[in-house]
Amino acid sequence: MKLFAVEVNFVFIISASAQQGEVESGTRRKVKRLLSFQRYCHASRLLRGLVPHTPGSLHLLDDDYLGQAGHMLSKVGTWNFDIFLFDRLTNGNSLVTLMCHLFNVYGLIHHFQLDMVKLHRFLGMVQEDYHSQNPYHNAVHAADVTQAMYCYLKEPKLAEQLSPLDVFLGLMAAASHDVDHPGVNQPFLIKTRHHLASLYQNTSVLERHHWRSTVGMLRESGLLSHLPQWKSIYPIITYRGTYSIFSLTPPRQDMEQQLGSLILATDISRQNEFLLTFREHLDNQDLDLQLASHRHFMLQIALKCADICNPCRAWELSRQWSERVCEEFYRQGDLERKFDLEISPMCNQQADSVPANQIGFISYIVEPLFEEWYRFTEPSLLSQTMMGHLHKNKACWSRLRYAQTSLETQTHPQIDKLEPEGEGEEGESVP
């Protein structure tokens, strides 16, 4: 695999050079494949009938680590779940381990008659298709979003209405929503004329790539190959068995399309579109979760919340994610500076500090969405906890920004000393 471990910087150095006509035609053809390089590696393994083996396989862990990981899984539904620790305990297999556990919790393997070998192969491909060199958009982020999604699926307002298909799609979308992310954003792909930007006509470029990559892995692994492909009648029954409806849609194709709809909802440029619709439903009190379309919309909202929930975590976890995402932004900014491109917002390390970035992100993106989620849950204990963390973390970043910019301050206080009040013992009992 070392031959395929192409640094993302190298990918876009080549890409930017190709724009300027500084690479030969042979390299140009390679550039079109580099962003999905790991996909081709996995495809070739599949054609040879080989199951990918990685140094991080669970069987290499000793009993002590497995025991600690198992203990953590017993508390996977708590909001203070430390995904960084869990990833270390599973030797980098947090996403695969978490998904297998949640599929068992919900009985999805039995319900959809899934083949365990195919399931593990699919999840392994998804996990490996995340770029570990990305500080933020990596498999640990996917596992974190999946764990948050599980917490949201357990919200009483949703849990009693969701069907097995809803849960299956929600967890699958969470796990794969950023697969094969290159570590740069859509504007970068557009201005460097990357082939994906052309392919998807500069619209939801990354999200469409994540979706199509996931569909490709579903088909390669054969995970859903036992399900009928053509039109048929199949029941959709809630866990409580309160009602059943019938659909005349092709199951496999329909599942792929719904999966795409969920992943595409994470496009941050569509934030206001979803927020306004969500707010309108709440104002009109017309959400009917017995309707499949309304449940699907709420899955979209839940996934959007899970994707940006880092500021709602306890300070120590939230701070780590904030530093990671800014480090990824700064790497992009360094590339843009190197090739004399306009530096994207939040990507200039000299001008855009971590506290400033986080305060803006919380104020304009996170708070408006989670205020509506708070209304939707009526509110639940989890929502109250999240909003409490959000307000404390925002205040902490504000104090840190002030400390960095104050002319009176001669030395900068350490971030760890600015821990919001109220953390600690209370956070350990959060549901």
Side-chain angles (χ1 to χ4, degrees):
M1 283 297 294
K2 291 184 179 179
L3 292 175
F4 301 106
V6 181
E7 292 290 339
V8 71
N9 288 9
F10 178 68
V11 173
F12 289 105
I13 287 173
I14 293 178
S15 182
S17 299
Q19 180 189 2
Q20 302 170 13
E22 296 179 357
V23 289
E24 298 179 355
S25 59
T27 305
R28 288 177 185 272
R29 287 193 297 271
K30 293 179 182 178
V31 167
K32 294 182 179 181
R33 296 179 56 177
L34 280 175
L35 195 60
S36 300
F37 213 76
Q38 294 173 355
R39 297 288 316 110
Y40 290 89
C41 173
H42 288 309
S44 65
R45 284 179 170 182
L46 188 70
L47 290 175
R48 295 197 306 269
L50 301 177
V51 178
H53 291 286
T54 65
S57 296
L58 285 176
H59 68 271
L60 295 180
L61 297 177
D62 59 36
D63 291 340
D64 185 50
Y65 274 82
L66 287 174
Q68 292 180 63
H71 177 70
M72 287 195 70
L73 282 175
S74 69
K75 299 183 178 181
V76 71
T78 60
W79 190 245
N80 64 319
F81 191 84
D82 188 340
I83 198 64
F84 297 111
L85 174 59
F86 185 68
D87 193 63
R88 292 193 294 272
L89 292 175
T90 57
N91 206 14
N93 280 276
S94 55
L95 184 58
V96 172
T97 309
L98 180 62
M99 282 290 284
C100 286
H101 175 74
L102 295 180
F103 269 44
N104 277 313
V105 167
Y106 280 107
L108 298 176
I109 297 172
H110 174 74
H111 182 87
F112 291 103
Q113 296 297 297
L114 301 178
D115 183 291
M116 281 301 298
V117 173
K118 292 179 180 179
L119 176 61
H120 199 273
R121 176 182 293 169
F122 168 75
L123 294 175
M125 292 169 70
V126 170
Q127 181 173 270
E128 286 191 44
D129 232 22
Y130 280 94
H131 299 189
S132 60
Q133 66 266 32
N134 290 345
Y136 184 83
H137 289 104
N138 51 43
V140 184
H141 165 65
D144 185 63
V145 172
T146 302
Q147 190 271 335
M149 188 67 167
Y150 174 55
C151 291
Y152 299 155
L153 295 178
K154 283 171 13 94
E155 286 281 33
K157 199 81 176 286
L158 273 178
E160 57 191 27
Q161 300 292 349
L162 294 176
S163 71
L165 179 61
D166 295 327
V167 175
F168 176 83
L169 291 172
L171 294 177
M172 290 282 281
S176 60
H177 78 285
D178 273 333
V179 73
D180 201 29
H181 196 293
V184 294
N185 60 18
Q186 175 173 289
F188 185 94
L189 297 180
I190 292 174
K191 62 189 175 186
T192 56
R193 300 181 184 179
H194 194 276
H195 76 282
L196 286 177
S198 300
L199 177 64
Y200 296 118
Q201 300 179 328
N202 299 340
T203 303
S204 298
V205 175
L206 286 170
E207 291 74 24
R208 291 187 183 190
H209 177 58
H210 305 323
W211 169 36
R212 298 315 306 177
S213 295
T214 302
V215 170
M217 285 183 280
L218 277 172
R219 295 180 181 180
E220 288 175 15
S221 66
L223 180 62
L224 304 179
S225 60
H226 63 290
L227 298 178
Q229 181 178 2
W230 309 111
K231 290 185 178 182
S232 61
I233 299 178
Y234 65 100
I236 303 177
I237 308 171
T238 63
Y239 282 110
R240 305 185 84 186
T242 53
Y243 69 95
S244 62
I245 59 177
F246 293 84
S247 172
L248 293 174
T249 55
R252 246 187 291 168
Q253 294 178 8
D254 184 60
M255 291 170 78
E256 292 175 357
Q257 291 300 316
Q258 290 192 58
L259 190 61
S261 176
L262 292 175
I263 293 174
L264 290 175
T266 63
D267 184 351
I268 204 69
S269 69
R270 301 179 64 192
Q271 185 76 1
N272 285 338
E273 169 194 338
F274 281 96
L275 180 61
L276 291 175
T277 303
F278 190 24
R279 185 175 291 151
E280 196 173 276
H281 276 307
L282 295 177
D283 289 343
N284 297 333
Q285 299 183 352
D286 60 0
L287 273 174
D288 182 1
L289 296 181
Q290 291 196 6
L291 297 176
S293 59
H294 284 204
R295 293 199 309 278
H296 184 78
F297 174 75
M298 286 313 305
L299 286 177
Q300 290 177 313
I301 295 296
L303 181 58
K304 289 178 67 62
C305 287
D307 192 26
I308 62 171
C309 73
N310 301 149
C312 299
R313 298 282 192 180
W315 169 251
E316 183 55 34
L317 294 175
S318 179
R319 178 181 63 83
Q320 290 185 66
W321 285 121
S322 299
E323 292 173 346
R324 284 168 174 259
V325 74
C326 286
E327 174 60 26
E328 193 165 295
F329 289 161
Y330 297 153
R331 289 187 185 184
Q332 175 178 321
D334 291 342
L335 278 176
E336 291 168 330
R337 185 179 295 105
K338 181 173 184 176
F339 291 101
D340 199 25
L341 301 170
E342 181 182 357
I343 299 180
S344 300
M346 300 189 294
C347 295
N348 188 341
Q349 190 167 7
Q350 284 70 48
D352 304 314
S353 67
V354 176
N357 281 351
Q358 286 305 297
I359 292 170
F361 179 58
I362 290 172
S363 299
Y364 298 107
I365 302 296
V366 182
E367 275 184 330
L369 180 60
F370 276 90
E371 284 171 356
E372 301 307 319
W373 181 261
Y374 183 89
R375 288 175 62 197
F376 168 71
T377 60
E378 295 187 331
S380 68
L381 179 58
L382 173 58
S383 288
Q384 295 178 45
T385 299
M386 290 192 299
M387 293 303 289
H389 287 322
L390 182 63
H391 296 149
K392 291 176 183 177
N393 292 339
K394 183 179 180 181
C396 187
W397 287 121
S398 296
R399 293 197 301 272
L400 182 57
R401 182 174 64 171
Y402 176 80
Q404 289 180 339
T405 57
S406 175
L407 294 177
E408 293 80 17
T409 303
Q410 298 299 316
T411 59
H412 300 325
Q414 295 294 320
I415 291 180
D416 291 339
K417 295 181 180 179
L418 294 173
E419 181 174 339
E421 297 178 1
E423 298 291 345
E425 294 298 326
E426 179 184 358
E428 294 178 0
S429 59
V430 171

